Amino acid sequence: MSSSPASPPVPDTDPDATPGSVIRSVFRWRGEGGRHLDDHIAEEVPVAFVYNSEPFAVMMATPADLEDFATGFALSEGIVAARGDLVIERIEQLIEGIEISMTIPDHRAEALAQRRRSMSGRSGCGVCGSELLEAALRYPPPVRTDVRITVPALRRALRELRAGQTINARTGATHAAGWAALDGGLQLVREDVGRHNALDKLIGAMHAAGCDPATGFLVVTSRASYEMAMKAASAGVSLMAAVSAPTALAISLADHANLTLVGFARDDGHAVYTHGQRLLGEADLTAGGHPA
């Protein structure tokens, strides 16, 4: 007969802990018994975006790669049109969470005031709290870049994305977004408890690294929602592959935005929903097609 678990001990600080995770004590059962152990847990904290001293939105996010997050969010949400329009003044750790203070041009601030949100977003919920329907749904202009990739390149990118998820390997609780070269080699990866946040962080990192959207494609570990497709198209990316399913609205947006949308991307197969000419299979290569 097993006894009730005793009060858990206070864990020591783990010098190997990575940004985005903390150590917490847990009583874990295996079979007929259990024991106390220290476990890596993904962090989730409120992150407030403040533009020109005016609060705009609060997102629940993993506190890692915050400069990339601020940049990618501002670009993918259309708050600024170019990276040069955004100045990150400071990132402050407050008792309540993290505040990122930024400066944008006055005309951008005036436009932002028209669509200011009044609610806090859940983890990566980019349209949560939008006051107007037209603010919630945005259709970016058609993607002008074009790529051709092979199925083996897609599968390589998926394998490397799994291997590159350092926070998820410890916690099992984060999504990831990756930028891969045309041969499938992973160039950048960002993680977050929110799938939209992970993609925003990646878009910010791509801008910081000077990545050309015409030289690669996106792979994400989540479902392909409307907003994931919108952010990809807004970044000028022409192909996004998700390990899970797309939504109907995401398919509609991808079709109009000239975005190749791939879902259920796994080692043994995938489904192409829009603009499938960019993903080359064995038959395409035999017929004379070739990757860009």
Side-chain angles (χ1 to χ4, degrees), residues 161 177-180 185-190 202 204-207 209-211 219:
L161 181 63
W179 176 247
L186 197 67
Q187 307 298 300
L188 294 167
V189 61
R190 291 293 183 269
L202 180 68
M206 289 170 60
H207 276 266
C211 296
V219 282

Side-chain angles (χ1 to χ4, degrees), residues 91-192:
I91 299 176
E92 293 183 282
Q93 177 71 60
L94 307 176
I95 294 175
E96 302 86 353
I98 295 172
E99 183 175 275
I100 305 178
S101 298
M102 293 160 280
T103 300
I104 58 177
D106 289 341
H107 70 281
R108 287 287 176 180
E110 291 170 6
L112 192 61
Q114 303 302 315
R115 50 180 284 217
R116 180 160 290 124
R117 297 164 184 178
S118 60
M119 293 172 58
S120 298
R122 295 179 177 86
S123 296
C125 186
V127 299
C128 291
S130 293
E131 295 173 318
L132 303 173
L133 285 175
E134 56 266 34
L137 297 180
R138 295 189 296 114
Y139 282 82
V143 174
R144 297 183 181 277
T145 58
D146 201 16
V147 300
R148 294 291 188 276
I149 68 167
T150 64
V151 171
L154 172 61
R155 293 177 181 170
R156 175 186 175 185
L158 293 168
R159 290 193 303 271
E160 294 191 7
L161 181 63
R162 288 193 295 270
Q165 292 179 250
T166 57
I167 300 176
N168 191 65
R170 289 174 176 263
T171 68
T174 57
H175 286 293
W179 176 247
L182 297 178
D183 64 359
L186 197 67
Q187 307 298 300
L188 294 167
V189 61
R190 291 293 183 269
E191 295 179 87
D192 198 276

Side-chain angles (χ1 to χ4, degrees), residues 186-249:
L186 197 67
Q187 307 298 300
L188 294 167
V189 61
R190 291 293 183 269
E191 295 179 87
D192 198 276
V193 290
R195 63 187 186 277
H196 305 113
N197 296 344
L199 183 51
D200 278 333
K201 288 178 178 181
L202 180 68
I203 291 170
M206 289 170 60
H207 276 266
C211 296
D212 182 350
T215 63
F217 61 100
L218 289 175
V219 282
V220 298
T221 61
S222 62
R223 71 180 182 272
S225 63
Y226 149 80
E227 199 169 18
M228 297 292 282
M230 182 273 291
K231 289 176 182 292
S234 295
V237 173
S238 56
L239 188 148
M240 180 176 72
V243 301
S244 194
T247 65
L249 190 56

Side-chain angles (χ1 to χ4, degrees), residues 44-62:
E44 184 179 29
V45 303
V47 177
F49 293 109
V50 178
Y51 300 98
N52 294 14
S53 301
E54 292 292 335
F56 176 67
V58 178
M59 311 300 291
M60 299 302 296
T62 300

